[in-house]
Amino acid sequence: MLKTVNILNKRARFDYEIIETYTAGIVLAGTEIKSIRMGKANITESFCEFSNNELFAINTYIEEYAFGNQFNHKSRSERKLLLNKRELKSLAKSVQAKGLTIVPLKLFTNEKGMAKLEIGLVRGKKTYDKRESLKEQDTKRDIERIKKAF
């Protein structure tokens, strides 16, 4: 039985307002999937960019595999994302026209053991929006604390 891996980008949910989400496959080199299955990846500082009508995840960190040899992968490199043509066209159009950004939200493995990346079409939050979300988190925490006491 395969262990599922969920690597979240918590910073993206705080900094951006998520408009749409997509699930994309990733083109990986030999030892990258082994590092992901061990949970040795980070998508906090990564973003997505179009190049020649293809979508790439840039600045995604996947640690080098400890038991790899000279064919080990680079820890930070561009990784191609796999989406349908229709999805790629709609994403490209909304990024160019509306000034939105594409950010990875979650890196996970599915039931077949393949790595997938959940990406989101996002708009940046203003500082007052961030303060409101912090206030909501504090009130939720206080309510849970009070419920636990009773």
Side-chain angles (χ1 to χ4, degrees):
M1 182 168 205
L2 294 172
K3 182 185 119 184
T4 58
V5 177
N6 285 324
I7 299 168
L8 299 174
N9 186 356
K10 294 179 183 178
R11 191 73 197 169
R13 298 197 185 272
F14 179 72
D15 287 338
Y16 301 105
E17 172 190 348
I18 300 167
I19 298 169
E20 274 186 87
T21 60
Y22 297 93
T23 302
I26 310 174
V27 176
L28 296 174
T31 56
E32 289 176 333
I33 188 65
K34 294 179 181 184
S35 293
I36 289 173
R37 286 180 184 152
M38 290 174 55
K40 308 280 184 172
N42 188 359
I43 57 172
T44 307
E45 300 168 355
S46 62
F47 59 96
C48 298
E49 212 172 60
F50 280 96
S51 174
N52 297 331
N53 296 327
E54 294 178 338
L55 190 62
F56 288 91
I58 298 171
N59 209 15
T60 303
Y61 177 77
I62 299 175
E63 188 176 304
E64 286 189 7
Y65 186 58
F67 304 107
N69 53 14
Q70 74 264 22
F71 300 112
N72 218 344
H73 65 276
K74 294 180 184 175
S75 58
R76 290 196 189 271
S77 65
E78 294 182 353
R79 291 172 176 89
K80 184 178 175 181
L81 299 180
L82 306 172
L83 289 166
N84 295 335
K85 276 188 179 179
R86 183 175 9 98
E87 292 173 336
L88 286 172
K89 284 181 183 178
S90 69
L91 278 172
K93 189 187 301 181
S94 58
V95 166
Q96 286 178 347
K98 300 176 187 172
L100 301 175
T101 310
I102 303 170
V103 176
L105 303 173
K106 182 166 85 169
L107 178 65
F108 63 95
T109 56
N110 63 2
E111 58 276 351
K112 293 181 181 178
M114 303 177 89
K116 302 285 183 180
L117 188 67
E118 182 178 301
I119 58 173
L121 187 64
V122 296
R123 179 183 301 123
K125 280 186 182 178
K126 306 286 188 226
T127 53
Y128 56 83
D129 291 334
K130 292 179 186 178
R131 283 185 291 215
E132 287 177 13
S133 62
L134 284 174
K135 190 185 295 184
E136 287 176 17
Q137 289 175 357
D138 289 342
T139 56
K140 284 181 184 178
R141 193 177 311 119
D142 290 340
I143 290 171
E144 290 298 322
R145 195 175 299 135
I146 291 169
K147 284 182 181 179
K148 210 175 213 182
F150 289 107

